[in-house]
Amino acid sequence: MAKKECIAGLSTTGATSTLRNRKTFPTSAKVPRTPPRDRSSPPAAHLPEGGLCSSNGAPARPSAGGGVSEGPWRLLVLLVVAVLSFSTRLYKITEPPHVCWDETHFGKMGSYYINRTFFFDVHPPLGKMLIGLAGYMTGYDGTFPFTKPGDKYDHHNYWGMRGFCAVLGSFLPIFAYLIVRELSQSHTAALVTATLLIFDTGCITISQYILLDPILLFFIMAAVLSMVKFNQQRYRPFAWSWWLWLVLTGVSLAGALGVKFVGLFVILLVGLHTVWDMWGLLGDLSLSLVDVTKHFLARVAGLIVLPVFLYVTIFAIHFVVLNKSGPGDGFFSSAFQSRLIGNNLYDASMPEYLAYGSTITVKNLRIAGGYLHSHWHLYPEGVGARQQQVTAYLHKDYNNLWLVHRKDDNESTSGTPDLVRHGDIIRLEHKETTRNLHGHLHEAPLTKKHFQVTGYGVNGTGDTNDLWQVEVCGGRKGDLVKVLRSKVRFLHRATGCVLYSSGKTLPKWGWEQVEVTCSPYLKETPSSQWNIEDHINPKLPNISLSVLKPHFLEILLESHIVMIRGNSGLKPKDNEMNSKPWHWPLNYQGLRFSGVNDTEYRVYLLGNPVVWWMNLAGLGLYPIAAAAASVALRRGFSLGQKRREHAAVLQGGGGLLLLGWLLHYAPFYSMGRVLYYHHYFPAMLFSSMLTGITFDVLLKSTDLLLHPPHSDWLQRLGHVALLLSVLYSFYLFHPLSYGMTGPLAHEPGSAMAGLKWMDSWEF
């Protein structure tokens, strides 16, 4: 009787049904905390849809048709899934023996970790750290330059980094199989899901190279699996297995966020699920408020405190390992750079106060604002005055050097030079080109309400538009300008505007450097504030800069601001291939990993068309099936126990997976950054699992059309047809993953002839 009542609760939604279930089991010595059940049929996971039994000991719904049974068969199926998954990912792992696509970035970053060289990337560091560790453990010495795609690896040991990514990618079908088996209690649904992912050419390709994606996908799936397993332990709250899966969920969440900020989406999924779970616990009248508080604090510890601690620890290790100056220095503040060995600010000494006649670099205080920079190139026709470009550059460069002069060029040639003070009017001469920093009323290139800043004059001779007034932020007239420590603004004397780094990236004519303008808006902001970083003047005594090293929390905060701004600044470049979110579920356009013409070894990232279009069909069929089941239950139709179980699977497991797909897909429509096809793969995993559940329930509902045994034959025929279509499509398209040579698909004699089913495919 108890089982039937819990099943009834699963057929409806909302807290009311949950309370109704729990009132059936009042606190009593006669009702055990763990209801009797067959150990060969573990309960399905607690799900966020359809009226759920919570982690407090309320009974689970019984397994749906095709229930999971213990024993050798269960382990054998899992072993077959694992063997097929690992074999398809590790096959031809060393080919092609050259750099493919983004290996040029992430392989290089792995080398930086081995060499302990600081760099900047828009993603958190865990993925690159693991790639570097895998390379180091397998004998890679970190000396390959990873200059560009197509470079031969030669004698360098790259297989360890590729193999590490492939191993993590091999776990994806295994995790998906286990997740669907727990959510649906159906072997066939789990096998359908595993088949879709094992034989998907896109999942294979993205797992075989030195990329962050397989690492990210591993942690996302591990988090979902751990969450589902944790809910399976609801009969044993606070037991060791309950704690184990809770902790593994937290660890996986930290791992996902530590690889890419996309990990926030799975954190949101687990967070919403946990809120629903806690709401159910709060309504369980068999639990005291003390018990509910214990559940709440346990989840706070496992799903908030632990992930935050691990995430911060990842950055602590990152900062300790990367302690040498490198290509990422210029993205960070002067104080940040002072902790990097080999940086000109590390244990450096220089004159403490700015003086006339000094050679300096001027750094904007906006994160990733850059150094004041100029070069010989002119602004193009139609962009303000056709004078020398002045930009902000994010890297150390000789063209960042400027000379400080008095407005009248009357500087001391002997003895101690005069110091620059708050309110002084100066002229800045670019050391390399000898042109002055110049402002006028022409419109700025990108920020149209600002004025253009240029380089003007010859050998330091210009006009009155070259004069700037020094203002120490928070200072008074006569205050000295402290190197590194003073926040300085430069007010243009002729126009009254202030020197400003907009943070906007100039087009190719500006070498994709940062726009510098003169802003008429005089409010103090980091974009209009600068500090003197390098200061060279042999006539002045030097002081040590070691006192400027920042604390850990300061560099942690700064690194996140730089990453976030770097992510938002990833705009499509001219003629660069990028895709739109609506392309992705359609498998509309792939991505070249290697090779272009018929003489090269070509790899093309594209999903197995049958798999992806089956997933698209599943996304369309699921809402219809779930709505039909919900209406039938709401209207009280006599569906029988089996139908009610199917409805519970659709509402519970299917609802969770649909939510996961939406959270990992819909946000991309609001993103302004450049997008690529591979961004869809986290959502694709959820849609594949949803397809497995949806198709399994639909095929098991064939008895609505036919009577047994004909319905059973139709069900088996459907499963066989699905399997054969996926396998045959994999047979046709596997060269996309494992490499193509010879003529292109549209040319005679091509091995891919006739397989270019969409004109947008480029293989």
Side-chain angles (χ1 to χ4, degrees):
M1 181 64 186
K3 261 189 175 180
K4 291 180 181 178
E5 299 241 4
C6 191
I7 294 168
L10 282 161
S11 66
T12 59
T13 59
T16 304
S17 61
T18 309
L19 282 171
R20 185 185 306 125
N21 293 346
R22 288 166 180 144
K23 288 178 182 179
T24 310
F25 298 94
T27 303
S28 171
K30 296 180 181 180
V31 181
R33 174 67 65 182
T34 304
R37 59 180 174 88
D38 183 359
R39 291 184 178 271
S40 67
S41 183
H46 167 49
L47 305 165
E49 300 260 347
L52 306 172
C53 301
S54 181
S55 307
N56 64 348
R61 56 176 163 81
S63 59
V68 178
S69 60
E70 297 282 3
W73 164 249
R74 182 177 182 177
L75 295 176
L76 178 62
V77 172
L78 183 60
L79 179 62
V80 170
V81 169
V83 169
L84 288 174
S85 185
F86 275 88
S87 60
T88 52
R89 271 70 182 166
L90 293 174
Y91 177 62
K92 299 179 74 172
I93 192 66
T94 58
E95 296 184 23
H98 60 247
V99 178
C100 293
W101 194 50
D102 270 0
E103 284 188 325
T104 187
H105 299 303
F106 302 119
K108 183 186 298 181
M109 292 170 187
S111 298
Y112 285 144
Y113 278 104
I114 294 173
N115 297 313
R116 306 192 68 176
T117 303
F118 186 76
F119 66 93
F120 165 70
D121 185 42
V122 298
H123 305 299
L126 179 60
K128 285 94 65 179
M129 289 170 59
L130 293 176
I131 288 171
L133 179 62
Y136 179 78
M137 297 295 290
T138 53
Y140 171 60
D141 58 6
T143 58
F144 186 73
F146 287 96
T147 304
K148 64 183 185 302
D151 288 350
K152 298 289 186 182
Y153 283 116
D154 295 326
H155 63 280
H156 293 277
N157 188 351
Y158 64 95
W159 64 266
M161 292 183 285
R162 278 192 182 174
F164 169 74
C165 293
V167 167
L168 294 190
S170 300
F171 279 100
L172 302 181
I174 300 171
F175 287 168
Y177 172 84
L178 294 172
I179 291 168
V180 172
R181 194 177 69 183
E182 295 298 336
L183 292 180
S184 67
Q185 291 296 293
S186 169
H187 268 307
T188 52
L191 282 172
V192 167
T193 299
T195 300
L196 296 176
L197 294 179
I198 289 172
F199 298 107
D200 178 57
T201 50
C203 285
I204 292 173
T205 303
I206 208 156
S207 298
Q208 288 194 310
Y209 297 92
I210 306 171
L211 303 171
L212 298 185
D213 299 270
I215 308 173
L216 170 69
L217 297 175
F218 172 85
F219 282 115
I220 288 175
M221 294 295 282
V224 176
L225 176 61
S226 300
M227 176 185 71
V228 170
K229 286 287 190 179
F230 169 69
N231 284 294
Q232 189 190 29
Q233 303 299 316
R234 61 189 172 276
Y235 297 108
R236 306 174 62 193
F238 307 107
W240 72 267
S241 56
W242 187 91
W243 281 109
L244 172 66
W245 290 112
L246 178 63
V247 167
L248 287 178
T249 304
V251 170
S252 300
L253 293 178
L257 186 60
V259 176
K260 281 188 176 184
F261 288 128
V262 172
L264 286 169
F265 301 150
V266 75
I267 291 175
L268 183 57
L269 175 66
V270 173
L272 291 173
H273 180 274
T274 303
V275 169
W276 182 269
D277 187 27
M278 286 304 305
W279 181 251
L281 288 171
L282 187 62
D284 184 0
L285 302 183
S286 68
L287 290 177
S288 67
L289 289 178
V290 173
D291 291 332
V292 173
T293 302
K294 288 179 180 178
H295 276 278
F296 173 74
L297 293 178
R299 285 159 175 80
V300 168
L303 302 179
I304 298 178
V305 176
L306 177 62
V308 168
F309 171 77
L310 293 176
Y311 182 74
V312 172
T313 301
I314 290 168
F315 275 89
I317 297 171
H318 168 73
F319 294 136
V320 168
V321 173
L322 301 185
N323 63 349
K324 298 179 182 178
S325 177
D329 294 13
F331 290 89
F332 292 82
S333 68
S334 304
F336 187 102
Q337 295 177 44
S338 68
R339 50 177 293 277
L340 299 173
I341 299 172
N343 188 282
N344 62 308
L345 299 178
Y346 180 78
D347 285 343
S349 60
M350 62 180 64
E352 182 177 9
Y353 298 106
L354 179 64
Y356 292 104
S358 297
T359 300
I360 63 172
T361 60
V362 185
K363 192 174 193 306
N364 189 257
L365 295 188
R366 174 192 176 103
I367 300 297
Y371 295 93
L372 188 64
H373 177 94
S374 189
H375 41 236
W376 289 104
H377 302 279
L378 306 181
Y379 286 102
E381 289 287 350
V383 181
R386 189 165 169 76
Q387 297 176 5
Q388 185 169 296
Q389 296 177 17
V390 171
T391 65
Y393 190 45
L394 297 176
H395 304 280
K396 304 277 189 177
D397 189 83
Y398 185 77
N399 280 328
N400 299 342
L401 296 177
W402 299 81
L403 299 172
V404 182
H405 298 296
R406 288 184 180 274
K407 64 177 180 178
D408 53 8
D409 294 324
N410 183 20
E411 292 161 18
S412 174
T413 58
S414 62
T416 303
D418 293 333
L419 301 179
V420 178
R421 299 176 181 273
H422 177 97
D424 283 4
I425 298 172
I426 67 170
R427 178 171 54 83
L428 291 176
E429 177 189 333
H430 189 242
K431 185 171 183 180
E432 172 66 12
T433 63
T434 71
R435 300 189 190 278
N436 296 327
L437 185 69
H438 180 90
H440 46 222
L441 294 176
H442 290 273
E443 191 177 68
L446 302 179
T447 309
K448 298 305 182 183
K449 293 184 178 181
H450 289 197
F451 302 130
Q452 183 187 37
V453 176
T454 68
Y456 179 76
V458 179
N459 293 325
T461 301
D463 59 25
T464 56
N465 282 337
D466 302 339
L467 302 181
W468 302 81
Q469 184 172 354
V470 177
E471 179 186 280
V472 178
C473 297
R476 295 175 297 179
K477 187 172 179 61
D479 285 354
L480 298 175
V481 178
K482 298 178 181 179
V483 173
L484 291 175
R485 288 172 288 180
S486 290
K487 297 179 181 180
V488 179
R489 301 207 307 165
F490 298 97
L491 277 72
H492 191 241
R493 289 290 292 172
T495 62
C497 57
V498 62
L499 192 66
Y500 190 93
S501 173
S502 71
K504 298 176 182 178
T505 303
L506 292 168
K508 284 193 173 181
W509 58 255
W511 303 93
E512 297 177 350
Q513 296 174 10
V514 178
E515 179 193 39
V516 168
T517 69
C518 198
S519 171
Y521 308 105
L522 302 183
K523 181 181 178 181
E524 289 188 6
T525 67
S527 294
S528 65
Q529 294 173 330
W530 307 76
N531 72 275
I532 310 304
E533 183 171 291
D534 297 288
H535 184 211
I536 304 169
N537 195 320
K539 298 181 180 180
L540 292 174
N542 294 335
I543 64 163
S544 174
L545 303 180
S546 59
V547 296
L548 299 175
K549 291 182 181 178
H551 300 297
F552 171 71
L553 291 179
E554 292 176 310
I555 61 177
L556 179 67
L557 176 61
E558 181 175 343
S559 64
H560 278 78
I561 295 173
V562 172
M563 284 189 294
I564 292 169
R565 289 183 176 170
N567 251 310
S568 62
L570 292 175
K571 306 298 183 183
K573 300 177 183 178
D574 294 343
N575 300 319
E576 183 181 19
M577 181 63 66
N578 66 91
S579 60
K580 301 183 184 301
W582 69 265
H583 291 172
W584 304 339
L586 302 176
N587 210 26
Y588 179 78
Q589 187 177 48
L591 200 156
R592 288 195 186 101
F593 264 42
S594 172
V596 176
N597 56 52
D598 58 2
T599 63
E600 297 176 318
Y601 189 98
R602 303 187 303 279
V603 176
Y604 190 70
L605 177 65
L606 185 74
N608 183 330
V610 168
V611 171
W612 283 57
W613 294 339
M614 198 175 292
N615 285 346
L616 190 62
L619 288 169
L621 290 172
Y622 169 77
I624 298 173
S630 298
V631 169
L633 290 171
R634 179 63 66 184
R635 296 298 299 170
F637 294 164
S638 179
L639 300 178
Q641 179 176 326
K642 186 176 179 182
R643 294 283 171 271
R644 302 177 84 85
E645 293 168 6
H646 291 166
V649 169
L650 285 173
Q651 292 177 331
L656 176 67
L657 297 175
L658 180 64
L659 178 62
W661 176 78
L662 286 170
L663 290 175
H664 287 82
Y665 176 55
F668 287 101
Y669 281 93
S670 63
M671 292 186 185
R673 57 154 291 172
V674 61
L675 298 174
Y676 299 105
Y677 174 67
H678 71 99
H679 288 142
Y680 184 66
F681 277 84
M684 182 268 180
L685 296 178
F686 285 95
S687 68
S688 296
M689 292 187 286
L690 182 61
T691 298
I693 285 180
T694 302
F695 276 53
D696 183 63
V697 170
L698 292 177
L699 288 172
K700 286 177 178 175
S701 301
T702 52
D703 55 357
L704 292 173
L705 303 174
L706 300 172
H707 294 291
H710 303 291
S711 60
D712 297 331
W713 297 346
L714 182 59
Q715 178 182 327
R716 294 190 186 97
L717 179 63
H719 283 122
V720 171
L722 186 152
L723 174 63
L724 292 179
S725 62
V726 170
L727 289 175
Y728 184 63
S729 181
F730 174 72
Y731 166 74
L732 293 177
F733 287 94
H734 76 274
L736 298 178
S737 297
Y738 298 129
M740 302 168 282
T741 54
L744 304 179
H746 62 277
E747 298 173 346
S750 171
M752 303 299 291
L755 295 179
K756 193 175 179 183
W757 296 348
M758 298 183 73
D759 291 337
S760 51
W761 295 350
E762 299 175 312
F763 55 81

